[in-house]
Amino acid sequence: NYTYWQPCSNLFGRETDINHISMKTCSASNLKEPTMEVNIKLNRNETLVRDHIEKKSRMLDGSHELEDMPNILFIEIDSLSHSAALRHMPKTMAKLYKHRMIDSEEEGVHCPSGFCAAMFNKTSVIGQSSIPNQLAALSGCSDIKRADLQSYKRKPIQSNSPTTKCPRSDLENPWLFDIVEKLGYVTFLGEEFCYKGSPYVIQDNHFVVNPHYNLNEIFCPLSDALANQQGNTDDPLVFVEHGTSKDPNPCVDGRSRQEFAFEYIRNIWNAYPDTPKFAYLNSLSGHDYSLDRAYQPLGAEDYDDYLSEFLEEMLRRPDAQNTFIVLRSDHGLQGGPSPIDFSFQVEHMNPFNNLIVPSGYSGLSLDALFVNQNKLVTGYDLYSTLRAVIAPRTKDIGPLREMDRGGQKQSGIPEFAFNLLDSKVPKYRTCSSAKIQNKFCPCIENRIDLMPHFYIGHSKEQKEFLWPSSKFKYNPNNAMLITEYVPGKSRANKRNENLSSQYSGSIPNSKQVDKAFQKGIFQPLWHEIDTITASYNGSKISGGIFLYPRQTILIANLILELVKLKELLKELPKQRPKKRPKKGMKTRGRSYSEKVVTVCETGFGAGHSAALFLSLSPNVNVITFDKFDRPYQIPIALKLKKKFPNRFRIVQGDSCETLPEYLNLKCDFLHGSSLCATDNIDLVKKSQCNTILTSTAMNSLTDGAVYFGGKKAQWQQLVEDDCIDNIACFKEEAQTLDKAYVFATKDDIISHEFCFARVNGRCNNSGSTSADMICNGSDSAFLTLQNITQMYSTFSIDPPSVKKKVSNYHDIDRTAIPTDHTIFKQNNLVDDDV
């Protein structure tokens, strides 16, 4: 038996010759294993060169000269997160760092090496697997029917996928291979396996692809030979494994399979020095999903050797200054046992993503590319960038618009994507504006939890896996934002300095209310919110509490009095329970041990109401339920979280769905202001006795949705079911709008009527109607509601009459109105001079 490799030429075997590739497969009785020889010798095809020259000449009328079209080398590593690259690919990272962009006071942003390596460390996936992420980067298209992609109406030509849709376009196909072929590029497509018949690739499933050179020319004969060796001739070639845990033989002909792709690309670059080239390679170096989790990092570390050497070679070539290199992954680790680890779950959403750009490229803004490294970007942005790079450019007038007639909307480039080379991605870009679905969004502010619900525990050896998938069923509605549980963060709430609950002064009039509103401590924060919303051109806001001075001041005083009440009760030990209630025992109303007033609201809008609540006192916390589907909402929510740490929590999603599923909702004040037809009812059913309820943005108390306008009106249902009582209603002064909103236009005259009520605990969804859950009229929160609402009796109106299904409800007793109320200064709503 031979213990060394023996050339095939000395042995009997079979030979395959496909164009520029020859392969010999050898076997002999004196060899332990069959041996193979693979030789790549690529000759220049002059037809391709002439085709490029003809297509280039048709682009111009002779009056302008075109710049040389750049080469595109697109290397994708499946599956590799940004963090995994830092851990397992040190040599490649060193090459990128060598050509990094530098920002100095003397020279500004510059690229000392002549190449600008941009490392996008906040890249997000837009889908679970390779296909949606590759579709985004190579075509700008999507294979998922989504409501937020309304402009995606066009089905690609000859696509075999019924779900793939692309933006409206004058192009037959926005597929990069089609576009560069029409420009006369020499094209190469590389997959490190025989992908014929594979459902896991874009080519031939979502787009028909006919590249000039294809790595299948190596890997299909190689897989056929391996199948014969292994005795698996009945299996499709796509399932033949080599260099994996099932067949741990990484070498063929003394080389790794990754070396074949690099050798192939090197041959193409050598054969066509004067013709633009587009090469796409998808490497499977980190895609081993076997139970032995060592295979994934070892695959990446092995690839690091070959890739770093190949990058150094390509950057030393004479044509390097006209070559753009994309070095990225479609997603992080998602298979095998690794996703059991939470860090891998997070890493899945943050793939490796880099660009190496010649510093002399005429379409490059160094400042834009530098700052975009720390912005939220996706494959859609990469597609937009590559479309700009391959667009023909003249030496005197810049890029031609031959490929983009009709503007960006007709070019096939997603209108929400950015050219990373010359456009700065907005600082406050959100997953919603970047068209990243919530379940794939890497921003913790956008999610209930970062844990994905797919591929947990998945591996190729399913039968050997000891963890059944049923153990990993996950309901995101039962989880809280991850930031609420970060170690070291605690709810250290400062005590309010002004705790006096005494009133003095007279009943406020309309002028006093307006002045208190205009000079309120919340106004500077509202101004900052307005500045953020104004930065999103074309984004209207629906309105909000800022349009209603009387309700704003009433709410502010009610919440401040609740804060004082809690502080007062905290100082009364005799009123505290002598013993802790036993586990499972219900207690009436709020626990005296609670020191914080919690406001629960539906409908975040532009954040004015949340900002109002939070600015009133450090002892006020806010939980808000909203879809957060408007571009300015997440930036504003982030601002509030930063300004009021550990006091502001968001629950993203349709409040009709998220609120009923939300656990342990303990609120002191309820603010219903969303478009959900049941939000007020759901809030009340989640609340115990002595919680105060109000709603905003209703023109009349007889509207059919919220107050008392019919059987579907929420407050009417709550009264009929005896869920609320002590209703007090008020009317705002009519005003003329100075700008347009979602539900109103400029110069419209609006009026506003609103109510407050107390939740009596009868409809708490615990199902109990015992006396322990029901309030009595002597409770302090009830008296607070009485006192504050009576102060504003000048603006009060009577609520419509509604019959209870059980008994008649009683209005607030308006006979005992206090004689002095200078509550504005008492509650620090305004400065001393007001």
Side-chain angles (χ1 to χ4, degrees):
N1 294 332
Y2 290 96
T3 57
Y4 57 89
W5 177 83
Q6 182 161 338
C8 284
S9 56
N10 300 333
L11 304 166
F12 172 80
R14 62 177 182 170
E15 184 171 338
T16 303
D17 194 350
I18 305 175
N19 297 327
H20 42 272
I21 298 171
S22 64
M23 181 179 293
K24 295 179 181 178
T25 308
C26 318
S27 61
S29 58
N30 60 345
L31 286 179
K32 281 185 176 181
E33 293 180 352
T35 257
M36 298 178 189
E37 279 185 10
V38 179
N39 298 300
I40 303 172
K41 186 177 180 180
L42 190 147
N43 295 316
R44 179 183 174 95
N45 187 336
E46 293 297 338
T47 302
L48 297 180
V49 179
R50 289 193 298 272
D51 181 60
H52 168 66
I53 295 173
E54 292 175 4
K55 290 176 179 177
K56 184 177 178 180
S57 65
R58 290 199 295 267
M59 297 178 197
L60 296 173
D61 56 7
S63 58
H64 303 283
E65 185 179 356
L66 278 180
E67 293 182 358
D68 291 336
M69 293 183 184
N71 304 311
I72 307 293
L73 175 58
F74 193 130
I75 300 177
E76 188 159 279
I77 307 169
D78 189 1
S79 317
L80 187 72
S81 68
H82 177 76
S83 297
L86 295 174
R87 290 193 299 269
H88 304 302
M89 303 192 73
K91 295 180 180 179
T92 300
M93 295 305 299
K95 299 298 180 188
L96 292 170
Y97 190 75
K98 174 183 176 181
H99 301 291
R100 72 192 185 280
M101 306 172 71
I102 298 175
D103 186 11
S104 64
E105 293 184 3
E106 298 78 15
E107 301 181 60
V109 180
H110 62 290
C111 306
S113 69
F115 298 98
C116 304
M119 293 169 271
F120 301 99
N121 54 46
K122 293 184 180 178
T123 301
S124 172
V125 298
I126 56 94
Q128 170 184 330
S129 60
S130 298
I131 286 180
N133 292 294
Q134 290 176 353
L135 273 174
L138 293 171
S139 68
C141 302
S142 174
D143 67 332
I144 305 170
K145 186 176 181 180
R146 292 167 52 183
D148 59 341
L149 295 179
Q150 294 295 332
S151 62
Y152 277 49
K153 302 294 185 183
R154 186 183 181 97
K155 185 178 184 295
I157 305 297
Q158 297 179 317
S159 174
N160 294 323
S161 169
T163 60
T164 302
K165 294 295 175 62
C166 304
R168 297 185 183 94
S169 172
D170 290 336
L171 301 174
E172 288 185 359
N173 268 337
W175 177 233
L176 281 179
F177 277 94
D178 282 1
I179 295 174
V180 296
E181 192 276 330
K182 291 178 180 178
L183 293 171
Y185 274 70
V186 175
T187 56
F188 165 84
L189 174 65
E191 296 273 4
E192 293 178 344
F193 67 102
C194 180
Y195 66 77
K196 289 181 179 178
S198 171
Y200 306 117
V201 296
I202 299 177
Q203 55 270 21
D204 300 333
N205 290 317
H206 299 265
F207 290 95
V208 174
V209 60
N210 294 297
H212 299 118
Y213 300 98
N214 195 326
L215 206 55
N216 257 6
E217 295 166 349
I218 291 179
F219 279 98
C220 287
L222 178 60
S223 296
D224 184 45
L226 289 169
N228 279 284
Q229 288 182 11
Q230 299 167 359
N232 296 326
T233 54
D234 294 333
D235 292 338
L237 296 181
V238 66
F239 296 120
V240 175
E241 294 195 37
H242 183 69
T244 66
S245 59
K246 286 189 175 182
D247 182 32
N249 298 298
C251 299
V252 174
D253 194 5
R255 290 173 288 177
S256 166
R257 65 178 179 181
Q258 284 84 21
E259 291 183 85
F260 291 124
F262 293 148
E263 185 176 343
Y264 211 146
I265 294 171
R266 183 185 298 115
N267 271 266
I268 294 173
W269 252 249
N270 290 335
Y272 300 96
D274 53 352
T275 308
K277 298 161 284 291
F278 181 91
Y280 171 79
L281 169 64
N282 184 32
S283 170
L284 299 179
S285 58
H287 199 272
D288 194 312
Y289 291 167
S290 57
L291 274 178
D292 187 344
R293 63 187 299 173
Y295 276 90
Q296 282 181 320
L298 286 174
E301 290 169 9
D302 185 44
Y303 194 61
D304 185 38
D305 288 333
Y306 305 120
L307 178 60
S308 58
E309 292 177 3
F310 182 66
L311 284 176
E312 184 67 23
E313 175 190 341
M314 296 302 290
L315 292 173
R316 287 179 177 176
R317 293 181 60 91
D319 55 5
Q321 283 296 333
N322 197 36
T323 299
F324 289 74
I325 300 176
V326 178
L327 192 59
R328 73 161 224 152
S329 177
D330 45 3
H331 52 73
L333 298 177
Q334 67 172 9
S338 295
I340 298 298
D341 189 320
F342 182 77
S343 64
F344 284 95
Q345 300 163 16
V346 177
E347 285 188 23
H348 172 269
M349 295 170 282
N350 182 210
F352 186 54
N353 187 21
N354 310 269
L355 274 175
I356 302 177
V357 182
S359 60
Y361 172 57
S362 59
L364 174 62
S365 166
L366 290 173
D367 290 335
L369 183 59
F370 184 79
V371 299
N372 286 340
Q373 294 178 106
N374 289 309
K375 301 293 181 61
L376 178 64
V377 300
T378 69
Y380 291 121
D381 301 305
L382 179 58
Y383 177 74
S384 177
T385 303
L386 292 178
R387 284 290 303 274
V389 170
I390 63 176
R393 303 176 66 91
T394 64
K395 293 183 177 180
D396 51 352
I397 63 173
L400 291 176
R401 297 299 177 188
E402 181 72 17
M403 303 300 297
D404 296 335
R405 284 195 303 268
Q408 191 182 29
K409 289 185 179 179
Q410 297 302 317
S411 68
I413 301 174
E415 56 193 40
F416 51 84
F418 290 85
N419 176 0
L420 300 174
L421 300 183
D422 72 354
S423 301
K424 292 184 179 181
V425 175
K427 180 179 179 180
Y428 293 112
R429 192 184 198 187
T430 65
C431 288
S432 175
S433 61
K435 306 305 180 188
I436 305 168
Q437 290 179 286
N438 231 29
K439 59 185 176 181
F440 303 119
C441 179
C443 307
I444 56 178
E445 306 296 345
N446 287 43
R447 299 172 61 115
I448 296 173
D449 195 280
L450 287 174
M451 183 177 179
H453 60 275
F454 52 84
Y455 273 23
I456 303 300
H458 167 76
S459 77
K460 291 181 179 179
E461 299 95 340
Q462 283 284 0
K463 294 181 180 179
E464 302 173 24
F465 211 11
L466 301 179
W467 298 294
S469 59
S470 60
K471 288 187 178 181
F472 299 97
K473 289 182 179 178
Y474 172 68
N475 180 2
N477 292 326
N478 292 339
M480 307 292 287
L481 273 174
I482 206 75
T483 49
E484 298 295 333
Y485 298 97
V486 174
K489 289 191 175 183
S490 61
R491 290 178 175 269
N493 296 300
K494 298 178 181 179
R495 293 182 58 180
N496 196 329
E497 297 292 336
N498 303 303
L499 301 178
S500 172
S501 59
Q502 301 299 315
Y503 299 116
S504 62
S506 59
I507 298 175
N509 56 38
S510 180
K511 187 175 181 180
Q512 288 175 308
V513 171
D514 290 342
K515 189 174 289 188
F517 178 78
Q518 294 165 9
K519 298 290 184 178
I521 57 175
F522 43 82
Q523 286 289 357
L525 188 52
W526 281 6
H527 178 71
E528 294 181 45
I529 288 174
D530 294 339
T531 301
I532 295 175
T533 58
S535 67
Y536 290 87
N537 295 331
S539 294
K540 292 183 179 180
I541 60 176
S542 57
I545 195 69
F546 60 91
L547 292 174
Y548 313 117
R550 293 174 181 173
Q551 189 174 20
T552 297
I553 299 302
L554 252 169
I555 287 175
N557 281 291
L558 274 168
I559 292 175
L560 283 170
E561 290 307 305
L562 289 175
V563 170
K564 293 177 183 180
L565 175 64
K566 291 233 174 182
E567 290 291 341
L568 180 62
L569 292 174
K570 187 181 65 175
E571 303 299 330
L572 299 176
K574 291 181 181 180
Q575 295 186 19
R576 297 180 185 177
K578 293 181 180 179
K579 296 182 179 179
R580 289 182 176 270
K582 294 181 180 179
K583 188 175 181 180
M585 180 184 296
K586 295 185 175 66
T587 57
R588 180 175 57 81
R590 308 263 81 75
S591 169
Y592 288 139
S593 64
E594 296 179 2
K595 304 174 184 178
V596 176
V597 171
T598 300
V599 179
C600 300
E601 71 165 359
T602 56
F604 180 73
H608 292 84
S609 55
L612 166 68
F613 306 143
L614 292 165
S615 63
L616 293 174
S617 168
N619 286 344
V620 175
N621 289 353
V622 174
I623 303 173
T624 185
F625 296 79
D626 196 286
K627 292 180 180 178
F628 288 90
D629 54 354
R630 301 173 193 169
Y632 51 77
Q633 288 184 303
I634 291 298
I636 294 171
L638 287 172
K639 185 172 189 64
L640 294 180
K641 271 188 165 289
K642 184 177 180 180
K643 189 173 182 66
F644 306 103
N646 300 321
R647 293 175 51 202
F648 180 53
R649 183 183 303 168
I650 65 174
V651 181
Q652 188 168 15
D654 188 338
S655 57
C656 280
E657 299 175 2
T658 58
L659 182 54
E661 296 296 326
Y662 199 84
L663 301 180
N664 301 321
L665 188 64
K666 296 181 179 179
C667 312
D668 300 280
F669 191 92
L670 310 175
H671 182 228
S673 185
S674 74
L675 296 178
C676 174
T678 60
D679 61 341
N680 284 257
I681 295 174
D682 292 333
L683 283 170
V684 169
K685 287 183 177 181
K686 286 283 182 180
S687 302
Q688 300 180 28
C689 64
N690 279 319
T691 306
I692 297 174
L693 169 69
T694 190
S695 294
T696 299
M698 295 299 113
N699 289 334
S700 168
L701 297 184
T702 57
D703 72 279
V706 175
Y707 281 119
F708 305 101
K711 293 182 179 180
K712 293 184 179 181
Q714 297 186 66
W715 280 55
Q716 182 162 324
Q717 294 181 54
L718 290 171
V719 171
E720 290 176 350
D721 293 339
D722 197 19
C723 302
I724 56 176
D725 54 33
N726 294 285
I727 300 170
C729 300
F730 302 86
K731 184 177 180 64
E732 293 278 354
E733 190 172 356
Q735 59 175 306
T736 303
L737 296 178
D738 60 356
K739 60 185 292 187
Y741 297 93
V742 173
F743 302 113
T745 59
K746 184 179 179 182
D747 298 327
D748 280 358
I749 298 175
I750 64 167
S751 59
H752 177 52
E753 296 176 355
F754 60 95
C755 298
F756 293 91
R758 183 188 63 159
V759 178
N760 59 29
R762 295 182 186 276
C763 299
N764 186 283
N765 59 7
S766 64
S768 174
T769 57
S770 67
D772 287 337
M773 296 299 298
I774 301 172
C775 306
N776 62 65
S778 63
D779 284 308
S780 300
F782 162 76
L783 296 176
T784 300
L785 177 60
Q786 275 196 329
N787 288 336
I788 298 296
T789 54
Q790 286 175 3
M791 287 173 52
Y792 294 88
S793 58
T794 307
F795 316 123
S796 66
I797 57 176
D798 293 326
S801 177
V802 179
K803 291 184 179 181
K804 284 186 182 180
K805 295 178 181 178
V806 181
S807 61
N808 293 328
Y809 73 93
H810 58 280
D811 287 327
I812 287 179
D813 179 10
R814 304 180 185 278
T815 58
I817 299 178
T819 57
D820 33 44
H821 298 338
T822 54
I823 196 165
F824 300 131
K825 190 178 294 186
Q826 181 67 46
N827 280 333
N828 292 328
L829 282 176
V830 296
D831 298 329
D832 289 338
D833 60 338
V834 178

